Structure formats: C-alpha cells, structure tokens
Amino acid sequence: MIPRLNIQDGITPVYHTFIEALIDAGFAGDVESSYSSRLAVATDNSVYQWLPQAVLFPRSTADVVLLTTLARAPQYSGISFSARGGGTGTNGQSLNDGLIVDLSRHMHGILEFNLEERWVRVQAGLVKDKLNEFLKPHGLFFSPELSTSNRATIGGMINTDASGQGSLVYGKTSAHVLAVTAVLDDGSLLQAHPVHGEALAVKLADGGREGAIYRQVLASARDKRAEVEATFPKLNRFLTGYDLKHVYDPASDGVDLSRLLCGSEGTLAFITEAKLDLTPIPTFRTLVNVKYDSFESALRNAPVMVAAEALSVETVDSRVLDLARGDIIWHSVKSLIEDVPGKTMLGINIIEFAGDEASEQTRKVQALTARLDALLAAGEGGVIGYQVCDELASIETIYAMRKKAVGLLGNAKGRKKPVPFTEDTAVPPEKLADFIMEFRALLDANQLSYGMFGHVDCGVLHVRPALDLCDPEQEVVLRKISDQVVALTAKYGGLMWGEHGRGFRSEYGPAYFGALFDELRKIKAAFDPLNRMNPGKICTPMGVDTPLVSVDATKRGAFDRQIPVAVRDSFTDALSCNGNGLCFTFEHSSPMCPSFKLTGDRRHSPKGRATLMREWLRQLEVQGYDPLAEEVEIHHGGVRWRELVGRVRNTLSKARGEYDFSHEVMEAMQGCLACKACASQCPIKVDVPAFRSRFMEIYHQRYLRPAKDYFVATVESYAPLMAKAPGVVNYFLKQNWVQKATEKTIGMVDVPILSEPTLKQELAGHAASLFNLEQLEALSTEERQKVVLVVQDPFTSYYDAPVVRDLVLLMETLGFRPLLVPFKPNGKPQHIKGFLRSFARTAANAAQFFNRLHHLGIPMVGPDPAMVLCYRDEYAKALGEARGDFNVQLPQEWLLSVLAQLDIAPREAKAPFYLFAHCTEKTVKPSTHGDWGKLFSHFGAELKSIAVGCCGMAGTYGHDVKHLQDSKDIYQMSWGPAMANLPKSQCLATGYSCRSQVKRMEGEKLLHPVQALLSLL
C-alpha cells in the first residue's frame, strides 16, 4: 500500500518563533509554511533548488517594514530574506533557504498616474504587461521589453535591471526608474531618487543608516571613478550588480540610489514601490523578417541590419524555429515566416522599425528591402528571402513566438534538456559573429546540442546547452562549460551575465572586478551589514567571511535523480517542467491555468503541480514504494479486501489530522480544472490532467474516495437510465430539498436536469434513428458517401438534446443522411477522477467499436469538444497502438471537409455572431476560431471570436460544492465582462459545460454554433 509521507524537513525553531511573533505583531499579509508552499518557491527558471523556511506575502510597504523591524531583535539576527516577484529568474536570484518575501500576490496596485508628465507610481508586484494594459488607452507604455513580460513584475525588473528587444533605443529598466521606495534590513524606509547640492549635503550629514549609505556610495563611485571607467566594459547590456558607473552623476555631483538598486538582485533592500518614466507608443511599426541559409549568415549579416537604423534586430536559429513548428504558436505565425521554396531556412533576423514619423520609417524600410533585394539578386550574405509585416496583430504574433523561444528550448526530446547557465553572454556587437562561432566550436567539442537566439543589435545571445542534470557527470560538464564561457567572453571584451543577472554565478565576480570588488562589498555593508538580504548573491559585506553562492550549488537534478529512471521516464509530463513560468500569466483572455489566475497561489499552477508531483515521486522512492508496480497491480489485480480495511483506517486518521504530504499534493490537484490548456499552451507541454489522474488513482489506494467521485465517474452509466423517465427524474431534481440533500450527502450543487423532450422524441420522424451495424456494412460505397455518423456523449445527448437534434437537422438540410451512433461511454469523467482502470476498459471497448465503424469510410462527428478530443489524447495515452485509426471529428472539421460540395442559399444574417470556444478545443486545435469563421462566412454570416479564458465550469468542477465560488469567480474574471457587452442571443459556445455555466450565471442558454448555422438556412 502507498505509504504515508511524513516529511521531516521542517522549519527551524528560530523561524517558527519569528513567524508567530510576526503574526502577533499584526502582519496583514499571508504566511505560508506548508511543505508544498515552500516547494513552490524552491525553484525558478534556473537549474537550482533551495527550500526556504517559509513564504511571506505582504499586503503593503507597512508589512515589509514590520517584518524587517521585528527581525532587528537579537534573537532573529540569523534570519535571512529574499524578495521574489514573478519567479522567472534563470540564475536563481530569488532562491534562498531563509524567508521568501513574495510581493506579487497582493502588492500589485497602480498608485498614481500622471498623464501630462508621463509617469506612473506602482507597487513592486505589478506585472509589466498588466501595467501596459492600463497605459495603452493613454497612448503610453513602460518600454523596457522582455520575453517574460506577461508574468515578470516591476520589482523583479528593477532588481535585475531587465531589458530585451529594443534596448538600444529604449534602454534598460534603470533608464526609466525615476524613484524607488525601499525598505532596508533594519526596517527603515529609503526613498531613492536623484539627490545633489544642498539635499545631498543633508543626506551625507545624516548619522543613521541612510547617511552611511550615501557616504559610502560617493566614496566608491566618485572617488574610484577612474577604476570604474576602466573596469566596466562599454556594453549596452552590462550588469554589474551594483551600478557604480551610473549611481554618481559627475555633471551635477549628485547621487541617484535608484541606479544602484537597479540590478542589485534584492541584496540591498526590499523594493516596494517605484515611480516610472513612460514612453509614447509608436504610431508606426513594421517588421522585416529576413531568412538565411545558415545561422552564421544571419549573425554575419546582422551589422547590415543594425546599420538600417532599426529599433531592434533579433535573431533565431533553426533549432528554435523547429521547436516552434511543433508548438501551438506556429499556427498563428507560419504565414508570417513562410519557408522559401527550394531553400532550407536555418536562421532568421527579425528587424523592427518603429517611430512617430511614418515617412521617415518608411524610408528606412525601403532602404533595407532594396539592400536585401540586391543581396538576393547577387546570391550574397546567405539571404534566401524576406517578408515585410506591418499589421500590429501580426507583429505581436511574431514577437509572441520569439518570446516563447526560452520555453521552447526546454521542449527538446530525450533526457537531455537545454538548461540555462550560459544563456546571456554579451560581447561588443561587431565581435558577436566571431564569438559565436568559437562558442559553437566549444559546445561542439563537448558534443552538446543547443539552440540560440538573441539580440544581435547589442551583442547578447541566449544559448542553452542540452544536459541531463539527473546525471552527476553532466553537472561536471556544466561547471566546465561555465568556466570556459567566462574565459571566452572575457577574450572578446564581454562578460557572461549580460542580461539575466548573476545569481549563482556570483562566484565569478571577484576575478572579474579585481580590486574594485571590495567597493561592492563596502556598499553591501552599508546597506546590509549582517548579510541578511539575499545572502551569497553578488557579494558579501566587507567584514563578513560567508562564502558566495556557487555554480555548483544544489540543483533540481540532485533531487530528481533520486527518482528511478523508469519512473522519471513514465512521468515526463511532470519531470520535464523547467520552471519558465509561462503558466503564471495574468492575462484573463488566455486559457492558461485559470486556477492560478484566480488564487495567485503558485501551487495551483502547472509549474507548482509539477513540482509537487516530482517531490511526491521522490518521497515514494525514499519510502521504497514503486508507483509503476502499483499501477500494474491496480489495473490487473482484483479487489484487495485487506487494503480496503486499511483505506478506512487511513481515512479516519486523515480526518483526525494525521499529516501526509500526499494530502498537500491532492489539494493542489483538486484545484485543477482539467481544462488541458497547459498541455498545449505551455512550451514544455506540461500536461497536468495526465499526471493528476495517475496521482489520484494511486492516492486512493490509501484513502477512500468521496461519494462525489463515484457520482461523476458513473454519469455515463446512470444518465441513459434516467433518460428513460426524464419527467419523473426531473420532478425530483427540481425539488429544493433534493438539491440540498445532494449538496450535503454527495457534495454536488446545481445538478443539471435531463432534456425534455428526450433526444429520441426530438428526432421522431427523422431518418436519424439508431442504426444497425450489419445494415450499415451492407450499404454500397456510393450510399455511404452521403451518410454521416453522429457520435453521442452523455452531456449533449441527455442534458442538451436540442444541440444533437439541430446537428442532425443541419446535416439533413445540407443533403446528408445522419445516423445516430448508439451511445457508447466515452470515459472522460472516469479519467478526470482518476478511475484509470475503469477508463482503460471503457476506452478499449469504445475504440474497438469505433474502429469497426472507421473501416466503413463513413465520417463520424461528435458535438462536444471535450469528449471528442478525449478520443484523440487520453485514448492514445491509455491504449497506445491498440487505439487504432478511428477519428471522431468536431462539427467544424466535418463541415469544412464537405464545404465544397454544399450548394446553399442562406438567408441574410442581420447581426454578427460571437464565438466563445471551449478551452480544450481552442488550445488543442488552435484553428478553431478560424475554422468556424470560414463556415459562417460561407453561410453568409459574420462570426467574431471572443478571446476569453476558462468559463469556470470545466465539466463537473463547477458543480463541486467545494469549488462553487471559485467557479463563479473564474467566470467573472473573463467570460462575465465579455458577456456583459454582447447580445446573448448572438453568443455561441461550443462546450456543453460552457453553456451550462452561462445559463447558471446569466440565466440564458447559449446556442451551439451548429444551431446558429441551422438558423441561417
């Protein structure tokens, strides 16, 4: 039997006492000290893993002041802190084994906005794209660009002095920070902004911590000016950690401490608020996508692109392009980066022109394209083609692909995965091509595969060699390559951390800075004398002997390698997560992970759930338990009565509060809506519903299942029976006492009523009665060409029969002969609840039946996307080759396949329709919106696709009393605002659960798109 996992890695007494004292002192934020909460922030987008003592989520600057003030007490002198924002760092900047202070959950407000002076004051936890969403109607934006902009926080951007595409024009974050509110380790507030003259004299005369800081900064930045100029290379992306070059202004003899805090990686103070300079949104934007016969050609041709006076020049190699081709993003970008007939595209440069003067920008574009035409004609420069793109939506789509490149690199096949540790080298742009050729030779000599992309206009390239860090020998290779790249960048006048900061690479600092490194240590001592703020990163305070963190620090692979290889290979859905954090997106219009968007709890995200699953598998191995053997026993064994008694006993112990880490994992899994957006939206394809079901099955070998699991999993058994007497069943279901009893005894609410009249009654008089298989097989080939098989599912057939009826009527109207396939359980409800043994049997039975139909050559169509797509995904994983070749189509797929045969004369549509597509459908099949748009256009109507996330119902999730309020809140995040401004009669939803949620929330039932098409005929 699965063991109880009693985690011994608890909180040390001093931290436990501090947390209790903090709560007693009135800390208004959240405090999380569970093992799962700590695990969720033990990793970022780096290769490292450090378990903190607890996680604090302050609600205000006052909360941060409170916790640092309390920590001044002598008994807490050993406590350390690390600030955390989006958690997207690639070098472990925010990892710490002390307290993590996460400002992203509550401190994300826009505090003040001045349109005339073009600045905004915000809290540090605000996401960059969320800020720009607010600014867009005012024609302004916060210009430093970065690939993680939909989850990176302003505080994180400041701490890493973030920048990316367009930095030659827009500069780094530090160029746009006007002032910063920071909290020092002693609880004192620091207002950092430019100070000079008399104001500076007052600061210097201060006898407290602030005065000491100003005096030390002047001593290091002004008095050591010559050394600073000599040591710091002239690079656009240069990150020192402490910017001694710009903190002091020789012209005014002034100091701006915000320039010092930018790039300090949380080692000097907590940044809680920032005043930011804003930039007008350019009115003219054009991209020129230049295609090359090799990546080297793209690099060597880059100076020509830079000379074109563009805003930015980005490069991408063939490996990244190939990975993009296998991702959902390629569907939207493939027409914008088309292959060149007869040529192989092995690299691209993306050149952007932007500005307010259209004529000037047009001149630049024309000059560049003329130059490219000349290169093409002469067969020079490796240029094989180019495309010009000037539509804003298309430009943003191309950049979405480029932004996803970091995550895509992690989706490589096999155990070796591209990992970050050399991914942001910076050299003078004119030396980049030679540097990269030598870099590639270095990686090739070590027989490493890799992908490359970056900002060639400023000499920054992102390179991630593929390593299997579960292999200890590969850690040795990581160290070797790391040292070699440091030396190589120095050879070319650059450095290893040109964009993503130092973090665990801080050990290279002393050798790089030489004697100037002591100045960094003196500044650290002035700000943080006890070495409590993100200790070990960048430098240690003068007088403190604690070592810096090392490239050799504990990595995720050290934990993952404890999981047997067979188990790792079986649970790749969880083990492959590289922490890129795309699932942390704030965008309510994105289908990605509604549970995280609702809660802000990183445990309730694909990354969080994958992290917990990895640790759960590791803990099982520690206990000597083999989950794969257990799965075999479950699927092939009989009823084990002794274990059943054990489950009862264990469940009673659980009710008494007995700890088991498995309960923490289960809590995170139960919050998942199983919408499967992660399986396609995540660049790594982390499929939470897949490993969630496996976890649930094994978990319930130790603990009894709740009654609602059986209620959901058996719906395909009892729904057909109840439909034989819908009037009687509905009479009881409509009784308030029955609904209340169902809520109390089973835990389900808003149990749907059956369709009246039934589907059989709806189709009385039509030829779509249930067919006889033998008669169908007897049909001639010609007769079969006009037959369509309608595949039933329990929800539309028994609870939303008019949809199936209208699909049948539409087929008849179009000249086809629809036949209703006898109802066969699909198994999706069983899979959702982790009844995988039952699901495998259901799937095998259905697959055998549908394969027999498939060989007749007659198309099969199912109305509900969640059920249809289950045949393609879950069936393939459960059955493998035994699934066979059968294909159940979605309605739009079948309609498009016969569109050329249709001779229709639709009536004129007086108003447009609005499509709300099902989450699973539009992520698994990204052409969904376009497909329906083509059909409605052919039928003489306009269809507008509405970008929304999850509706919140997600099958039975919204019927679970435990999730009722969450379900409604998820609806209000995305669907509610969109629905409020549209006529419900013109709104269409493809999913049964989506239509049910709208009916519950709005009191109106939406039509399925096939019903709208029928109304047009």
Side-chain angles (χ1 to χ4, degrees), residues 177-209:
V177 174
L178 301 176
V180 163
T181 297
V183 180
L184 301 177
D185 77 306
D186 64 351
S188 58
L189 273 178
L190 177 69
Q191 301 294 342
H193 53 81
V195 180
H196 56 85
E198 185 177 341
L200 179 58
V202 172
K203 298 289 187 185
L204 293 171
D206 179 80
R209 176 72 67 84

Side-chain angles (χ1 to χ4, degrees), residues 583-640:
C583 49
F584 297 156
T585 175
F586 80 95
E587 299 163 302
H588 292 163
S589 61
S590 165
M592 174 63 93
C593 202
S595 57
F596 172 73
K597 278 196 274 281
L598 174 70
T599 63
D601 189 331
R602 300 194 190 280
R603 291 173 298 176
H604 291 278
S605 70
K607 180 193 171 186
R609 293 180 176 115
T611 297
L612 298 185
M613 191 70 181
R614 285 172 40 235
E615 178 61 12
W616 182 72
L617 293 171
R618 188 184 75 86
Q619 291 289 338
L620 290 182
E621 175 60 21
V622 170
Q623 297 289 330
Y625 178 84
D626 183 354
L628 301 185
E630 178 68 17
E631 287 181 318
V632 171
E633 182 67 25
I634 293 170
H635 286 218
H636 297 93
V639 177
R640 294 177 285 185

Side-chain angles (χ1 to χ4, degrees), residues 3-15:
R4 179 171 66 92
L5 302 181
N6 186 16
I7 306 298
Q8 299 300 318
D9 195 355
I11 304 171
T12 57
V14 66
Y15 281 95

Side-chain angles (χ1 to χ4, degrees), residues 911-916 944 946 978-988 998 1002 1004-1007:
F913 290 95
Y914 304 92
L915 178 63
F916 290 74
K944 296 182 179 181
I946 306 301
M979 197 68 66
N981 300 315
L982 297 172
K984 308 296 184 299
S985 61
Q986 297 299 111
C987 293
L988 312 173
V998 174
E1002 307 288 348
E1004 296 185 47
K1005 191 72 172 281
L1006 302 188
L1007 295 177

Side-chain angles (χ1 to χ4, degrees), residues 536-574:
K537 313 290 175 58
I538 297 184
C539 67
T540 55
M542 188 64 76
V544 175
D545 296 329
T546 306
L548 291 169
V549 292
S550 169
V551 169
D552 298 324
T554 304
K555 302 173 181 67
R556 285 199 307 265
F559 296 94
D560 290 346
R561 74 174 63 118
Q562 298 174 39
I563 304 170
V565 172
V567 176
R568 294 205 306 264
D569 289 347
S570 180
F571 283 89
T572 53
D573 287 325

